[in-house]
Amino acid sequence: MVGVPAVQIAVSDGGEIIYSEAFGVTDQATATAATPRSVMQVGSLTKQFTAAAILRLAERGALTLDDRIEKFLPEFNPRGATITLRQLLSHTSGVRREWFPPGPPWVNLSAPVTREQTMKGLNSGQLLDSTPGTKWSYSNAGFMLLGLAIESITGKPYDEFIQSEFALPLGLIDTGVCGTSNLPMPEGYGLPAATWVRMPPFHTTIVLSAGGLCSSASDLARWAHLLATGHVMLPDSYAKMTTPTPLANKTVVNYGLGLDVNKILGHPAVSHGGIVNGYQSFLIYSPNHDIAIAVITNAWPAPSGGNPQLIAMAVAQAALSAP
């Protein structure tokens, strides 16, 4: 369809899946056809779930968004800086992009790491790329810190919290941390040269609360509706997620808490994308229409024509302009 091995597309209207289809194959060697239930890695769409978990814990009084991160991770060394949960959620903490410092020695991204190893990586090398609150700078490391904080507060592994709080009660049967809760660790493809090759997946623990989830396009489209309509959190909490973030100099960035805040075809919208070895994803939600569009491909790196954001935007143009 778009020059990638497989693509999933789903559209929800008022929470009802009105379109769900898959094209291509999940395994070229066996010609295994992709289906709407094929479990895919969704990369940084995980950040929506991590942000929702923090906000749910805030509703229960277990934290406030302006708490400093070391309140929950006393082993973390902020180098004297004040880094709040709110800043981590909005990518304004100044914390560097990845929890592991650049090599050599290089981190083995296919091998499991412990909490202690992750924290040691965070505490080593240069921590901050900018002063907290002064700049928007995307940080997977910041969301890893949030995941570790969730574990400290709840006493549960991150994957168990996501499963018990969101996936099971919301009926998201194909959603959870990859390789846990009976979900596979799927392998996607990349096109580093002229031929598609299998891309080794990152171990779940490498990307966990920043990019470790698997799902399907249908589950993601339903999740966007449930998140926005009071099934996951209170309306005030969702408003926090979807409010652009002010910086110290009073400028505002179009990112809330785990969500991009923007307009699509002139309509207010929230969205996010995800990239991880072998997979790309994109999720759009239009609150005025209560329509969500999710696209996942099992391809990264991939041709530009296989960009799920471009596919999602094309679907949005049809869905949001329909009478």
Side-chain angles (χ1 to χ4, degrees):
M1 179 182 178
V2 291
V4 295
V7 58
Q8 279 183 343
I9 304 171
V11 180
S12 71
D13 185 349
E16 178 184 354
I17 298 296
I18 60 171
Y19 179 83
S20 179
E21 192 54 86
F23 306 90
V25 297
T26 57
D27 188 323
Q28 291 184 330
T30 61
T32 302
T35 75
R37 289 287 311 277
S38 297
V39 173
M40 306 275 208
Q41 294 189 54
V42 301
S44 285
L45 291 187
T46 302
K47 292 179 172 69
Q48 296 184 28
F49 291 80
T50 300
I54 291 289
L55 285 159
R56 179 172 280 196
L57 291 172
E59 290 177 354
R60 294 174 181 170
L63 57 86
T64 74
L65 296 184
D66 294 313
D67 283 337
R68 296 170 67 148
I69 182 61
E70 67 265 31
K71 177 179 179 179
F72 310 106
L73 299 175
E75 66 271 42
F76 175 62
N77 180 7
R79 315 286 208 280
T82 296
I83 301 171
T84 67
L85 302 180
R86 187 189 304 273
Q87 290 168 339
L88 293 167
L89 287 166
S90 60
H91 295 297
T92 59
S93 68
V95 172
R96 67 176 186 250
R97 187 176 180 93
E98 305 298 348
W99 65 262
F100 45 88
W106 306 105
V107 172
N108 181 354
L109 300 178
S110 298
V113 294
T114 64
R115 178 189 178 102
E116 291 71 27
Q117 289 171 311
T118 304
M119 192 59 66
K120 182 179 179 181
L122 281 160
N123 284 332
S124 65
Q126 178 181 326
L127 174 66
L128 298 179
D129 290 335
S130 58
T131 302
T134 64
K135 182 180 177 181
W136 190 88
S137 182
Y138 197 81
S139 177
N140 291 317
F143 270 78
M144 290 293 286
L145 283 167
L146 291 166
L148 295 175
I150 290 166
E151 293 186 340
S152 293
I153 293 164
T154 65
K156 292 182 178 181
Y158 176 82
D159 64 284
E160 289 184 13
F161 187 82
I162 295 299
Q163 187 71 10
S164 62
E165 293 283 332
F166 299 142
L168 288 177
L170 297 175
L172 304 176
I173 57 178
D174 297 320
T175 300
V177 173
C178 301
T180 69
S181 305
N182 297 317
L183 291 175
M185 172 57 85
E187 292 186 7
Y189 288 89
L191 194 66
T195 305
W196 289 106
V197 296
R198 280 291 198 186
M199 299 299 290
F202 295 160
H203 194 275
T204 292
T205 53
I206 295 288
V207 292
L208 197 59
S209 49
L213 256 62
C214 281
S215 191
S216 64
S218 292
D219 267 11
L220 291 176
R222 288 190 58 239
W223 160 260
H225 161 81
L226 294 168
L227 185 63
T229 54
H231 295 81
V232 177
M233 59 181 63
L234 297 174
D236 182 60
S237 296
Y238 186 69
K240 290 183 175 72
M241 281 189 78
T242 56
T243 298
T245 301
L247 299 176
N249 65 2
K250 308 304 181 184
T251 61
V252 174
V253 293
N254 290 327
Y255 196 94
L257 307 180
L259 286 170
D260 281 304
V261 183
N262 44 42
K263 286 190 174 182
I264 294 176
L265 304 175
H267 302 288
V270 293
S271 63
H272 211 287
I275 292 176
V276 69
N277 254 18
Y279 291 89
Q280 293 184 80
S281 58
F282 200 77
L283 177 60
I284 301 171
Y285 177 73
S286 170
N288 287 359
H289 300 81
D290 195 11
I291 286 176
I293 298 153
V295 179
I296 312 173
T297 69
N298 62 345
W300 175 258
S304 59
N307 185 332
Q309 181 173 355
L310 297 179
I311 301 169
M313 290 296 291
V315 175
Q317 187 157 11
L320 300 184
S321 61

